[in-house]
Amino acid sequence: MRRPMRPIAPQKDGPLANEDITSPDVQLIDASGENRGVVRTREALAEAQEAGLDLVLIAANSNPPVAKMLDLGRYKYAAQKKAAEARKKQKVIEVKEVQLRPNINDHDYNTKMKAVQRFIGEGDRVKVTMRFRGREMAHQDIGMQLLMKVREQMDEIAKVESQPRSEGRQMVMVLAPR
């Protein structure tokens, strides 16, 4: 026979507030930012409710914990906006890939190098892959020379993050912006 599932209490996000504070005493900071010293939690909670505010635990690990009288909704909203602004400002660095062959023509090579310059200019890392097919495997030195040419050409704007290395039927080199 299967037991009925017990409902799980919802997890509260954010700092402890009001009745959730278990400490008997708190270091109280009032709404104007003034330190009122160590006060009983019940008294601090009564003062906060009288002022129409919430008692929010700011530093739970200190002894006694520090609690502040403020509007919890406004505090959570400000924290949410701050987190969204921080997420907006961060840049995710992607790894773009450019594939070459050992017998590439000059025009195709120049087109690929323009793409590499654009990727590095945007702040992304570039993986340069040299593919070998069939009998080209016997001439891996030509592929290595071509990768060295790429490295020399991009030396001013990019640094080599990983040197050219052979992985089966391909050689790989990773460039990163300076």
Side-chain angles (χ1 to χ4, degrees), residues 95-101 104 108-120 125-131 147 150 154 170-175:
V95 179
K96 305 282 187 164
E97 184 174 12
V98 174
Q99 296 182 357
L100 303 172
R101 296 281 305 282
I104 190 168
D108 295 337
Y109 174 80
N110 292 335
T111 304
K112 300 275 188 180
M113 290 306 103
K114 283 180 187 172
V116 170
Q117 286 176 337
R118 188 178 76 242
F119 295 151
I120 290 176
R125 293 165 47 205
V126 180
K127 179 180 176 184
V128 183
T129 305
M130 176 69 58
R131 288 261 167 95
L147 286 177
V150 170
M154 296 295 145
Q170 60 187 22
M171 278 186 184
V172 179
M173 175 174 70
V174 179
L175 301 172

Side-chain angles (χ1 to χ4, degrees), residues 57-142:
L57 213 56
I58 302 295
N61 295 335
S62 61
N63 192 10
V66 179
K68 187 173 184 178
M69 284 195 263
L70 48 83
D71 184 358
L72 185 60
R74 187 175 290 162
Y75 178 76
K76 282 185 176 179
Y77 179 76
Q80 188 179 7
K81 282 291 185 188
K82 194 175 178 183
E85 192 68 30
R87 271 196 308 277
K88 195 189 306 181
K89 287 184 180 174
Q90 74 182 9
K91 165 95 170 78
V92 177
I93 297 175
E94 294 181 32
V95 179
K96 305 282 187 164
E97 184 174 12
V98 174
Q99 296 182 357
L100 303 172
R101 296 281 305 282
N103 56 350
I104 190 168
N105 290 330
D106 290 338
H107 182 266
D108 295 337
Y109 174 80
N110 292 335
T111 304
K112 300 275 188 180
M113 290 306 103
K114 283 180 187 172
V116 170
Q117 286 176 337
R118 188 178 76 242
F119 295 151
I120 290 176
E122 292 170 359
D124 295 324
R125 293 165 47 205
V126 180
K127 179 180 176 184
V128 183
T129 305
M130 176 69 58
R131 288 261 167 95
F132 297 100
R133 291 166 69 186
R135 293 183 182 174
E136 292 174 352
M137 284 297 291
H139 301 286
Q140 289 193 359
D141 55 325
I142 296 172

Side-chain angles (χ1 to χ4, degrees), residues 139-156:
H139 301 286
Q140 289 193 359
D141 55 325
I142 296 172
M144 184 60 87
Q145 288 172 357
L146 200 57
L147 286 177
M148 291 302 156
K149 183 178 173 185
V150 170
R151 187 171 86 178
E152 289 170 17
Q153 192 172 344
M154 296 295 145
D155 193 39
E156 295 155 20

Side-chain angles (χ1 to χ4, degrees), residues 46-67:
E47 281 184 48
Q49 286 174 345
E50 193 175 296
L53 299 170
D54 299 300
L55 186 66
V56 180
L57 213 56
I58 302 295
N61 295 335
S62 61
N63 192 10
V66 179

